[in-house]
Amino acid sequence: MVKNKACVFISGSGTNLRSIIKNSRDYNFPINISLVISNKKNAAGIYFAKKFAIPFIVLDVSREKFEKMALKELLNRKIKLLCLAGFMKILSKSFIRKFKGKIINIHPSLLPKYKGLNTFKRVLNAGEKITGCTVHLVNEKLDDGKIIVKKRVAISASDNPEKLKKKVQSEEYKAYSIAIRKMYNFS
């Protein structure tokens, strides 16, 4: 099976990256992670790129330089899918247009609700009973774009932002790989 080359952009712990890497080791999974790019030199997720011998680049530079250098790498390596996994920078409209339909993101809410930052705190403050995560195609609007997968999580009275984050993340690890399979019509 010929797999599509993918790149994962990270900024932090890389737990979604780890999950995608593990699933990508399955013969029937449609992508192979060919590159990891971080915008933070101290991102813990770089460890997973090293552990699984995946080439990685740290581009701790301005957005303009980051995008120019990242785009060059993506094109040179013939990357077909870009996965944003805990990537905490907003990509420019120009960058998104150049990779249109080939960028997916995971957000820790049931979009279109609670776009942006501080999601768990906002969800709890609103008194929600259900939350979750959404994997979506990236377009030029923040946390917008065609929804590929949603996973729901029940909120309990004892949840605080940290507990809720852990519950949602456990669903994110499943949702991201399901979404990647859907992108390539794999079951």
Side-chain angles (χ1 to χ4, degrees):
M1 174 183 183
V2 177
K3 294 188 175 206
N4 295 284
K5 292 182 177 183
C7 175
V8 182
F9 280 13
I10 63 168
S11 294
S13 67
T15 55
N16 269 304
L17 168 63
R18 179 187 63 207
S19 176
I20 298 167
I21 290 170
K22 286 184 176 180
N23 283 303
S24 74
R25 300 300 196 220
D26 178 348
Y27 175 80
N28 291 316
F29 200 71
I31 66 162
N32 180 49
I33 300 172
S34 302
L35 180 64
V36 173
I37 298 180
S38 175
N39 66 318
K40 301 273 186 201
K41 60 181 170 244
N42 59 349
I46 293 168
Y47 165 80
F48 297 114
K50 291 177 182 176
K51 179 180 177 184
F52 292 98
I54 297 169
F56 69 93
I57 300 169
V58 176
L59 299 174
D60 198 348
V61 294
S62 69
R63 180 170 88 168
E64 186 178 309
K65 284 182 181 178
F66 175 93
E67 289 185 356
K68 184 178 180 183
M69 295 164 80
L71 190 61
K72 182 180 177 187
E73 288 293 333
L74 296 173
L75 296 174
N76 285 344
R77 295 172 189 258
K78 298 178 174 47
I79 298 296
K80 300 295 182 203
L81 181 68
L82 175 54
C83 302
L84 308 181
F87 183 66
M88 301 306 289
K89 290 287 181 193
I90 296 172
L91 295 169
S92 71
K93 291 176 182 179
S94 170
F95 184 94
I96 292 167
R97 283 185 204 122
K98 288 176 181 148
F99 235 68
K100 188 175 181 178
K102 298 176 185 173
I103 307 173
I104 59 177
N105 181 48
I106 190 153
H107 185 73
S109 77
L110 297 173
L111 292 175
K113 290 176 129 185
Y114 304 104
K115 296 177 180 186
L117 300 174
N118 303 313
T119 309
F120 303 110
K121 184 177 180 182
R122 291 171 33 220
V123 164
L124 290 169
N125 287 345
E128 298 282 357
K129 302 292 182 219
I130 301 280
T131 191
C133 60
T134 307
V135 182
H136 64 95
L137 280 171
V138 172
N139 66 17
E140 296 173 16
K141 296 178 183 172
L142 178 68
D143 296 327
D144 197 74
K146 181 182 175 195
I147 292 170
I148 305 166
V149 172
K150 282 187 184 185
K151 288 281 189 180
R152 288 167 172 57
V153 173
I155 300 171
S156 63
S158 65
D159 281 341
N160 60 33
E162 196 55 40
K163 281 184 182 177
L164 190 55
K165 179 181 178 180
K166 286 180 179 166
K167 286 167 62 173
V168 170
Q169 280 181 329
S170 71
E171 291 302 315
E172 287 181 6
Y173 306 147
K174 300 172 202 165
Y176 219 130
S177 291
I178 290 168
I180 291 168
R181 286 181 183 277
K182 280 189 169 191
M183 289 284 296
Y184 293 98
N185 296 316
F186 279 70
S187 54

